[in-house]
Amino acid sequence: MQAKGRNPPDGGYGWVVVVSAFMVMGLTAAVLKTFGLFFVEIQHHFDELASTTSWITSVTIAIFHLGAPVASSLCVQYSHRAVVITGGLLAFSGMALGFLGLNMVWMYATTGFLQGLGISFSWTPAISIVSHYFSKKRALANAIASAGECAFAFTFGPFFQWLISQYGWKGALLIIGGIQLNICVCGALMRPLASSSLLEASHSETETSPGNGVSRTDKEEKSPVTHKPFNWMLVRRPDFVLYAIFGILAAMSFFVPPLFLVPLSYSLGIDESWTASLLSVLAMVDFAGRLLCGWYANLHVTKTIHLLTMTITLISTSLMLLPLANNYLSLAIFTGFYGFFFGTTVAVHITVLADVVGMPDFDSALGLFMLIRSTGGFVGPPLAGLIVDMAGDYRAGFYMAGATLVLSAGFLITLDQLQQRKERGSQTNTKPKKSASPYPSLHLLKLQ
C-alpha cells in the first residue's frame, strides 16, 4: 500500500521511515567504519602485507561511491524499498561468503565488492527517501537518520571485538552478515509515496495542459520532487572541479585513521578490550561534532566554506599529533579530537557543495561528487598501507592522512577566493547606472 496524498507528510508514517533509515545507516556505514577490527586478524591469517590487506577496505569504499549513481537511477525505475532490500541481501552475501576466507582475492570480491555494493544500494535510497517524506522538517529528519551511523559504531566496536574473540574473525563475519539482513526489514518499512517520481513524470503534462485549471506554479508546489536531466557539464565548472579535488584528497585521508587505529594501539601494547573502546570513543565524539556543528552552521555566523576549511585544518592537526600518543589515555584524547572534528566536517561538507553549485544542479553535483571522490577512497588506504610497510611503523599512515588534508584545505581556500572574485564581479555588473529617464524609480525597478 502506498502513502496517500501528493505533498510530503512531514510526519506521521514518515517517522517510521526515519527510524528505518537510522537502522540502515548503522548496519552499513557503521560496519564499514569499525571494520578495522578485522584488519590484523585477516593480515595474520593470510600472512600478507598491510598494503595488500588494506585493499579490502579500499574496494568496499570505492564500490560504495561508484554504486551510488546506479542506486539512485534504480530508485527512479523501481522503488526505494526494492533497492534497499536488494542492498541488504548483497551485504549479507558479502559477509557470508567472506566467512569461507579462501584467499585474499576472494576477500576482495566478497567483503570488498559485494559488501560495498550492498552498502551503496542500502545507504543511498535510505537517505533519499527521508527527503521525499519531509519538507519543513527535512533537516531534522536527515539529522536523526544520519545519527544511526554514530550510534551503532559506538556499540559495534566492543561487540565486534567480542565476536572475534569468541568465534574467530570468520565466524564474526557470518554473524555480522546475519545481522545485516535486518536491512531488508527496514527496506520493507520504507513505503513509497503515491507521488513517486515515475507518477510525477507521467502526469506532469496533464497537470500543465491548457484547460485543466491547474497552473505550472500549482503543480510545482504540490510536487515534492523537481526533475532535471543529469548535468554532466558540471565537470567544466572551475568551482566544482576545485571542490571535487578537495573531495578526492579528503577521501584519501578520512578512511585511513579508523583502519590503522587498532593496529597502532596493538603496537603500543594496549589491551584488546581497551582498543575496542577507542572506536566507541570515536563514534561518540563524532556524534557530538555533527550535532554541534550543524547547530552552529544554522546560525549563519560563519560562511560554510570558511567553517569547512577550519574543521579540515583542525582534523589535519589532530592527525599529526595522534602518533605522539604512547599510552591508552593519550591515544584516546587524540582520537577524540580527530573524531569530533571529523563529525563537524561531515555536518557541513554537503551544504558547501550546495552553495558551490546551487540547488538546481545539486542532485547532479552530488552524484558526480561521490563518483569522483571514490578515487580517493580507493587509493588512500593502499597508499597509506604502502607507506606503513616502507616505514615499518603505523604512525606513518597518520602522518600521510594529515598531510593530505592540509593539501585539500589549500583547494578550499582557492575555491573561496574564486567565489569572492565572482561575487565582486557580479556586484560590479549589477550596479545601477545613471539613468536619463524622467522616472528613475521605474528604471531601477526594471534593473531588479
Side-chain angles (χ1 to χ4, degrees), residues 84-147:
V84 172
I85 292 174
T86 303
L89 293 174
L90 287 170
F92 163 74
S93 300
M95 288 297 195
L97 292 174
F99 161 77
L100 299 177
L102 301 181
N103 50 52
M104 193 57 73
V105 175
W106 179 263
M107 300 305 295
Y108 297 156
T110 55
T111 56
F113 181 83
L114 282 179
Q115 179 69 198
L117 196 62
I119 291 175
S120 183
F121 277 34
S122 305
W123 187 92
T124 307
I127 284 292
S128 175
I129 196 171
V130 170
S131 296
H132 283 278
Y133 264 89
F134 289 85
S135 178
K136 295 179 182 178
K137 300 177 183 177
R138 185 172 294 161
L140 175 62
N142 281 324
I144 295 173
S146 65

Side-chain angles (χ1 to χ4, degrees), residues 256-270:
V256 171
L259 185 63
F260 292 114
L261 183 61
V262 172
L264 176 63
S265 67
Y266 288 161
S267 69
L268 295 175
I270 298 174

